[in-house]
Amino acid sequence: MNLAKNYALNYNPIDTVENLFSAQSYELDRRGSNEVVVEVQGKWNNMLLFFAWEENMHCLHLSCLMDIKSQIEDRSKIFELLALANEELWVGHFSYWTEQNMPVFKHAVIINDQESNIESKISQIIDIAIKECERMYPIFNVVLTKGMPPRQAMYPMMMETIGQA
């Protein structure tokens, strides 16, 4: 049974993404009606955000590419780090773009045109992607460029802070 056949979405969330970033004077690359790319300056380095709208699934996909070129040959370290990092996430996941040799945060959200808070929902996933990449950048960087063991790199994140400084 396919209920999606009877559902027509007249809304393209790529327009909303474009409006959100244009309002903040970001440069965009609209690669067609269903794709847009924007570069965002992060705390550690620039991040490339790629948005794609899949009309048939009513799904907006976001990829946030972290500009860290891997220097290590041992791919098992990369996959161990991805597993450890993804255990810490509630939303989205980290992956590894082998073609570019870089880590990427990915998330997808189902959008229907009856929602009243689409812009807020899109803003929220953008914020989550950027915050997660900022949080994990130093860890990915030390593993991918220096070869530090993933568990050792993740250790400071797993420590619980008590008290105030």
Side-chain angles (χ1 to χ4, degrees):
M1 179 159 99
N2 188 353
L3 299 176
K5 287 181 183 176
N6 300 324
Y7 177 69
L9 186 67
N10 299 320
Y11 170 74
N12 185 340
I14 296 296
D15 297 331
T16 300
V17 171
E18 189 172 34
N19 292 338
L20 285 168
F21 283 105
S22 293
Q24 297 178 26
S25 301
Y26 282 94
E27 288 190 33
L28 301 161
D29 181 12
R30 183 87 183 237
R31 296 182 174 175
S33 61
N34 293 336
E35 294 180 4
V36 68
V37 178
V38 61
E39 188 171 354
V40 174
Q41 175 62 49
K43 183 165 77 172
W44 308 103
N45 207 337
N46 288 352
M47 294 174 277
L48 195 63
L49 279 72
F50 173 79
F51 298 85
W53 171 240
E54 171 40 66
E55 286 183 72
N56 294 328
M57 295 190 317
H58 314 291
C59 185
L60 178 66
H61 174 85
L62 161 65
S63 293
C64 186
L65 185 66
M66 292 188 283
D67 191 12
I68 306 171
K69 293 268 188 197
S70 178
Q71 305 298 318
I72 62 172
E73 297 292 324
D74 185 3
R75 291 286 169 105
S76 66
K77 282 187 177 183
I78 295 169
F79 298 118
E80 180 183 358
L81 177 57
L82 291 172
L84 292 170
N86 286 331
E87 286 177 2
E88 300 295 317
L89 296 177
W90 280 71
V91 174
H93 69 279
F94 284 100
S95 184
Y96 192 75
W97 192 7
T98 53
E99 183 180 304
Q100 294 296 320
N101 213 26
M102 292 181 187
V104 61
F105 177 86
K106 294 182 176 187
H107 183 61
V109 61
I110 304 297
I111 295 178
N112 68 64
D113 61 353
Q114 283 85 35
E115 292 182 66
S116 59
N117 63 346
I118 294 173
E119 186 173 312
S120 174
K121 188 184 232 183
I122 293 171
S123 290
Q124 194 173 29
I125 66 165
I126 292 168
D127 288 344
I128 289 169
I130 291 171
K131 284 177 185 171
E132 291 299 341
C133 287
E134 290 287 339
R135 184 172 73 102
M136 294 299 296
Y137 185 95
I139 295 164
F140 274 100
N141 190 47
V142 75
V143 172
L144 298 177
T145 63
K146 306 292 185 207
M148 181 182 278
R151 287 199 185 280
Q152 183 181 348
M154 289 287 294
Y155 183 73
M157 283 195 64
M158 294 185 254
M159 291 178 14
E160 204 172 309
T161 312
I162 299 173
Q164 294 181 353

